[in-house]
Amino acid sequence: MNEDPVAAPPTGVTLVGDIGGTNARFALWRDERPQAVQVLACADYARPEQAVLDYLQRTGVPVSAVSAVCLACAGPVGAADFRFTNNHWTINRQAFCAELGLRHLLLVNDFTTMAWAASRLGPEHLVQVRPGIAQPDRARLIIGPGTGLGVGALLPLEAGRWAVLPCEGGHVDLPVTSERDFLLWQALRERHGHVSAERVLCGSGLQTLYELSCALDGTPPRATRAEDVGALALAGDAQADAVLEHFFHWLARVAGNAVLTLGALGGVYVTGGIVPRFLERFQRSGFAEAFAARGKTSGAYLAEVPVWVMTAEHPGLYGAGIALEQALARHA
């Protein structure tokens, strides 16, 4: 898929990427925004270098023109080789830079880039789904179910600057707050052992939740993929709709817990590949109520926390560009 193709400058091209478990999105970063966006399937390439080279060939940019790359990667980023959590790729920094002739390579957690995007996205890229009052001097939470469950935080600094706190909050224990939760949790534990939030709050988790719910209710399943569950729910299928509602409730509980942990009274930004796809249904769901429906103290703490859904088409690329700007400025 091509968007907004641009003529490449002769030197100093910066490239940004947002790599998840299923797709790799690439763009040229120019004029403070991603341009010439393309989405490539990770399964089509043995190595990420091959995907980058194919992207450059498709956009007509010579490899020699690229001076800096920032890749948003789904998984924890450290000093060692990066191994993606939900696909087969590995990035060795030295080998990657050598093959592409790079001077600068920045690897950041994919939800780090979502947090950077939240620092600049305007109201045209946000839909408010829970009213409240954002406290400007407090942290913001970014959370989003997609291939996995991503969680990150944006921390305010002096003079309007921000710092991003990467984390692996998708792997916290799944909260159990009702009898129905407990029955589903038991079935999940029998299937997987440890039951993390990500076991439910992702694409494959939605399908799993549907299968287990059908089994509990004695209802023959009609869907074999997460997208089919969503389609059935939107078409009025009562079982699928109840599962989608439960999915949104569990997301509310996990998000609320994360706000309590981080003190994220600056608000919550929901992103990822699932919620924006079902935005109208999400707005009608019990998410806003479930978010703060808890004990006297914690419920009051969460009562005024606003929640938005990020509707920018490629927020990960946008955030990767901002992260790259910040890194290059520090080395200037």
Side-chain angles (χ1 to χ4, degrees):
M1 179 179 68
N2 286 314
E3 293 182 1
D4 201 13
V6 296
T11 59
V13 174
T14 56
L15 182 145
V16 292
D18 179 17
I19 305 174
T22 304
N23 294 315
R25 297 165 178 83
F26 296 108
L28 306 178
W29 181 254
R30 297 188 65 196
D31 301 324
E32 298 186 344
R33 66 188 183 95
Q35 302 182 32
V37 176
Q38 292 198 13
V39 182
L40 308 179
C42 297
D44 291 345
Y45 306 89
R47 299 180 296 117
E49 292 91 336
Q50 293 175 349
V52 171
L53 290 171
D54 188 29
Y55 168 77
L56 292 173
Q57 183 177 23
R58 291 172 182 232
T59 53
V61 177
V63 178
S64 59
V66 180
S67 61
V69 171
C70 177
L71 298 179
C73 304
V77 176
D81 292 355
F82 182 84
R83 291 175 172 80
F84 287 84
T85 303
N86 292 309
N87 73 37
H88 61 286
W89 285 357
T90 298
I91 294 179
N92 175 281
R93 287 174 173 80
Q94 184 175 358
F96 191 98
C97 289
E99 183 167 346
L100 298 178
L102 296 178
R103 295 194 299 273
H104 302 284
L105 171 63
L106 178 65
L107 302 183
V108 291
N109 175 267
D110 57 342
F111 261 72
T112 295
T113 63
M114 293 295 184
W116 279 121
S119 73
R120 288 197 195 173
L121 289 179
E124 70 275 14
H125 294 131
L126 300 170
V127 173
Q128 190 161 12
V129 295
R130 187 175 192 273
I133 302 172
Q135 298 187 22
D137 60 340
R138 301 300 293 269
R140 303 177 185 179
L141 173 72
I142 295 85
I143 186 168
T147 303
L149 176 63
V151 180
L154 193 62
L155 308 177
L157 302 176
E158 304 83 10
R161 295 181 300 114
W162 295 90
V164 170
L165 176 66
C167 61
E168 289 298 311
H171 300 288
V172 300
D173 294 339
L174 183 70
V176 175
T177 61
S178 69
E179 292 184 9
R180 180 74 171 185
D181 284 357
F182 181 66
L183 292 173
L184 290 165
W185 178 87
Q186 285 183 307
L188 287 162
R189 185 183 61 173
E190 290 175 4
R191 181 178 292 195
H192 298 292
H194 176 253
V195 184
S196 68
E198 188 176 76
R199 285 294 184 192
V200 167
L201 297 176
C202 66
S204 61
L206 177 60
Q207 174 60 29
T208 298
L209 184 60
Y210 175 75
E211 293 172 0
L212 296 178
S213 296
C214 288
L216 284 175
D217 297 334
T219 303
R222 298 178 57 200
T224 58
R225 301 179 303 168
E227 50 265 43
D228 296 332
V229 176
L232 282 172
L234 295 183
D237 182 272
Q239 182 75 34
D241 187 70
V243 168
L244 194 60
E245 180 70 12
H246 202 146
F247 183 94
F248 292 150
H249 274 247
W250 245 324
L251 178 60
R253 305 299 297 192
V254 173
N257 287 348
V259 170
L260 292 169
T261 300
L262 293 167
L265 300 181
V268 177
Y269 296 77
V270 180
T271 183
I274 296 177
V275 173
R277 190 182 308 169
F278 303 110
L279 180 57
E280 292 185 5
R281 178 62 183 85
F282 186 64
Q283 290 174 293
R284 300 195 310 270
S285 76
F287 174 92
E289 181 179 356
F291 178 83
R294 50 193 78 213
K296 179 179 179 180
T297 301
S298 57
Y301 188 89
L302 294 169
E304 295 298 323
V305 177
V307 180
W308 297 271
V309 174
M310 295 169 62
T311 57
E313 190 168 4
H314 300 292
L317 293 175
Y318 196 93
I322 298 171
L324 186 57
E325 284 180 3
Q326 301 286 324
L328 293 176
R330 288 195 300 269
H331 290 90

mmCIF file of all heavy atoms in Angstrom, residues 89 100 109-110 169 186 198 239 265 310:
data_model
loop_
_atom_site.group_PDB
_atom_site.id
_atom_site.type_symbol
_atom_site.label_atom_id
_atom_site.label_comp_id
_atom_site.label_asym_id
_atom_site.label_seq_id
_atom_site.Cartn_x
_atom_site.Cartn_y
_atom_site.Cartn_z
ATOM 1 N N TRP A 89 11.801 -12.597 13.095
ATOM 2 C CA TRP A 89 12.937 -11.733 12.801
ATOM 3 C C TRP A 89 13.833 -11.491 14.017
ATOM 4 O O TRP A 89 13.382 -11.494 15.161
ATOM 5 C CB TRP A 89 12.451 -10.380 12.293
ATOM 6 C CG TRP A 89 11.950 -10.380 10.890
ATOM 7 C CD1 TRP A 89 11.941 -11.422 10.012
ATOM 8 C CD2 TRP A 89 11.356 -9.269 10.199
ATOM 9 N NE1 TRP A 89 11.397 -11.027 8.826
ATOM 10 C CE2 TRP A 89 11.030 -9.718 8.908
ATOM 11 C CE3 TRP A 89 11.086 -7.952 10.559
ATOM 12 C CZ2 TRP A 89 10.433 -8.880 7.966
ATOM 13 C CZ3 TRP A 89 10.495 -7.117 9.624
ATOM 14 C CH2 TRP A 89 10.178 -7.578 8.340
ATOM 15 N N LEU A 100 23.329 -2.079 5.337
ATOM 16 C CA LEU A 100 22.631 -0.917 4.775
ATOM 17 C C LEU A 100 23.503 0.332 4.730
ATOM 18 O O LEU A 100 23.069 1.376 4.230
ATOM 19 C CB LEU A 100 21.366 -0.626 5.579
ATOM 20 C CG LEU A 100 20.313 -1.736 5.590
ATOM 21 C CD1 LEU A 100 19.127 -1.343 6.457
ATOM 22 C CD2 LEU A 100 19.834 -2.075 4.189
ATOM 23 N N ASN A 109 11.118 0.345 21.495
ATOM 24 C CA ASN A 109 9.910 -0.455 21.686
ATOM 25 C C ASN A 109 8.745 0.184 20.939
ATOM 26 O O ASN A 109 8.635 1.405 20.871
ATOM 27 C CB ASN A 109 9.604 -0.555 23.178
ATOM 28 C CG ASN A 109 8.298 -1.262 23.455
ATOM 29 O OD1 ASN A 109 7.269 -0.616 23.585
ATOM 30 N ND2 ASN A 109 8.328 -2.570 23.533
ATOM 31 N N ASP A 110 7.897 -0.642 20.340
ATOM 32 C CA ASP A 110 6.818 -0.094 19.515
ATOM 33 C C ASP A 110 5.878 0.811 20.296
ATOM 34 O O ASP A 110 5.351 1.787 19.759
ATOM 35 C CB ASP A 110 6.035 -1.228 18.827
ATOM 36 C CG ASP A 110 5.445 -2.244 19.788
ATOM 37 O OD1 ASP A 110 5.895 -2.309 20.950
ATOM 38 O OD2 ASP A 110 4.552 -2.990 19.379
ATOM 39 N N GLY A 169 3.974 -3.931 30.148
ATOM 40 C CA GLY A 169 2.760 -4.058 30.939
ATOM 41 C C GLY A 169 1.729 -5.006 30.376
ATOM 42 O O GLY A 169 0.778 -5.372 31.069
ATOM 43 N N GLN A 186 -9.905 -19.861 34.526
ATOM 44 C CA GLN A 186 -9.590 -21.279 34.738
ATOM 45 C C GLN A 186 -9.334 -21.993 33.416
ATOM 46 O O GLN A 186 -8.377 -22.776 33.289
ATOM 47 C CB GLN A 186 -10.735 -21.960 35.490
ATOM 48 C CG GLN A 186 -10.807 -21.648 36.963
ATOM 49 C CD GLN A 186 -11.922 -22.423 37.640
ATOM 50 O OE1 GLN A 186 -13.083 -22.386 37.217
ATOM 51 N NE2 GLN A 186 -11.583 -23.134 38.693
ATOM 52 N N GLU A 198 -2.181 -10.179 28.100
ATOM 53 C CA GLU A 198 -2.046 -10.327 26.659
ATOM 54 C C GLU A 198 -2.679 -11.614 26.139
ATOM 55 O O GLU A 198 -2.999 -11.713 24.945
ATOM 56 C CB GLU A 198 -0.559 -10.283 26.271
ATOM 57 C CG GLU A 198 -0.323 -10.238 24.774
ATOM 58 C CD GLU A 198 1.149 -10.108 24.426
ATOM 59 O OE1 GLU A 198 1.883 -11.116 24.533
ATOM 60 O OE2 GLU A 198 1.569 -9.002 24.060
ATOM 61 N N GLN A 239 -23.751 -13.827 20.839
ATOM 62 C CA GLN A 239 -22.605 -14.446 21.493
ATOM 63 C C GLN A 239 -21.325 -13.659 21.198
ATOM 64 O O GLN A 239 -20.553 -13.336 22.102
ATOM 65 C CB GLN A 239 -22.449 -15.898 21.014
ATOM 66 C CG GLN A 239 -21.306 -16.664 21.683
ATOM 67 C CD GLN A 239 -21.642 -17.059 23.111
ATOM 68 O OE1 GLN A 239 -22.805 -17.346 23.418
ATOM 69 N NE2 GLN A 239 -20.650 -17.082 23.988
ATOM 70 N N LEU A 265 -2.512 10.372 35.579
ATOM 71 C CA LEU A 265 -3.680 11.245 35.612
ATOM 72 C C LEU A 265 -3.700 12.215 34.444
ATOM 73 O O LEU A 265 -4.609 13.037 34.327
ATOM 74 C CB LEU A 265 -3.728 11.999 36.936
ATOM 75 C CG LEU A 265 -3.818 11.124 38.201
ATOM 76 C CD1 LEU A 265 -3.890 11.992 39.447
ATOM 77 C CD2 LEU A 265 -5.007 10.181 38.134
ATOM 78 N N MET A 310 -6.683 6.745 19.721
ATOM 79 C CA MET A 310 -5.843 7.355 18.700
ATOM 80 C C MET A 310 -6.292 6.857 17.329
ATOM 81 O O MET A 310 -6.283 5.656 17.072
ATOM 82 C CB MET A 310 -4.372 7.004 18.950
ATOM 83 C CG MET A 310 -3.825 7.582 20.247
ATOM 84 S SD MET A 310 -2.190 6.931 20.712
ATOM 85 C CE MET A 310 -1.189 7.477 19.339
#
